[in-house]
């Protein structure tokens, strides 16, 4: 079923490994910048950290009270950032699995996350129809963007940190100047 993760060889189109462990649907994935670590988030409220070369489970992170819907990593690959139906964003030490900090402020599930490597801003999109920008180091909420008429489900930022795009259930994509 949907509780497993398949790894694929893109040159052959063949699946070469299957990872088991989640108890419910896997909702999001991320790969570390060095391509050695896979992170998975699930409806079972857990985050699992896997060694990509071997497929071994390294850590199971527990702390969210709802489905984990979004994941991103800091540019240096040291901090994992997760978003959940519990309306929080959690920052974790990727190597130890330690919970570092919880960001609160959304009034709906956090459906989308990205990070701007240029200015170290975490950007979150939520069921509450807003986008929030947070500073990775200070953990401060910098601003809230409003304009969507329905949940924000996807976000992306340009490498220079100047342009943000958001996609919503209102069937629009909005472009924001940072």
């Amino acid at each position: 079923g949907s509780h497993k993760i398949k790894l694929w060889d893109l040159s052959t189109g063949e699946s070469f490994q299957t990872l088991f462990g989640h108890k419910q649907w896997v909702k999001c994935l991320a790969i570390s910048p060095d391509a050695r670590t896979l992170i998975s988030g699930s409806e079972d409220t857990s985050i699992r950290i896997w060694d990509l070369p071997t497929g071994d489970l390294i850590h199971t992170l527990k702390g969210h009270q709802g489905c984990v819907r979004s994941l991103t990593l800091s540019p240096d690959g040291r901090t994992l950032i997760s978003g959940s139906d519990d309306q929080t964003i959690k920052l974790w030490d990727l190597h130890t699995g330690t919970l570092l900090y919880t960001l609160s402020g959304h009034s709906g599930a956090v459906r989308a996350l990205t990070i701007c490597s240029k200015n170290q801003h975490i950007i979150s999109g939520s069921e509450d129809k807003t986008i929030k920008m947070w500073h990775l180091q200070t953990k401060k909420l910098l601003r809230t963007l409003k304009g969507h008429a329905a949940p924000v489900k996807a976000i992306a930022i340009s490498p220079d940190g100047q342009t943000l795009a958001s996609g919503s259930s209102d069937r629009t994509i909005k472009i924001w100047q940072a």
Side-chain angles (χ1 to χ4, degrees), residues 11-160:
S11 63
T12 65
E14 299 293 320
S15 174
F16 64 88
Q17 191 164 27
T18 303
L19 308 179
F20 298 93
H22 281 295
K23 309 273 188 281
Q24 294 182 42
W25 293 66
V26 174
K27 291 292 192 172
C28 51
L29 296 168
I31 295 177
S32 63
D34 66 6
R36 295 192 55 80
T37 309
L38 173 71
I39 305 102
S40 56
S42 169
E43 262 183 1
D44 66 16
T45 75
S46 78
I47 298 164
R48 292 183 182 250
I49 300 175
W50 311 83
D51 181 74
L52 260 180
T54 65
D56 292 339
L57 179 64
I58 302 170
H59 296 294
T60 300
L61 311 184
K62 297 192 181 218
H64 280 297
Q65 302 302 308
C67 175
V68 179
R69 295 208 178 257
S70 48
L71 295 167
T72 195
L73 285 156
S74 61
D76 64 9
R78 296 172 64 168
T79 305
L80 171 66
I81 302 144
S82 59
S84 169
D85 281 2
D86 67 12
Q87 305 176 8
T88 68
I89 298 159
K90 293 191 182 291
L91 282 64
W92 312 81
D93 182 307
L94 183 65
H95 301 296
T96 66
T98 306
L99 177 61
L100 302 173
Y101 202 84
T102 301
L103 301 174
S104 300
H106 279 296
S107 60
V110 181
R111 296 294 300 260
L113 282 171
T114 194
I115 192 159
C116 178
S117 54
K118 185 173 174 76
N119 57 23
Q120 302 288 295
H121 291 172
I122 299 166
I123 304 156
S124 55
S126 172
E127 293 275 340
D128 66 13
K129 307 175 196 170
T130 71
I131 298 157
K132 292 186 182 289
M133 300 176 81
W134 317 76
H135 196 279
L136 176 63
Q137 263 67 48
T138 67
K139 320 296 188 281
K140 297 273 191 264
L141 177 62
L142 302 171
R143 62 180 157 148
T144 300
L145 305 176
K146 297 179 181 178
H148 280 293
V152 178
K153 302 236 178 140
I155 47 178
I157 190 144
S158 61
D160 65 5

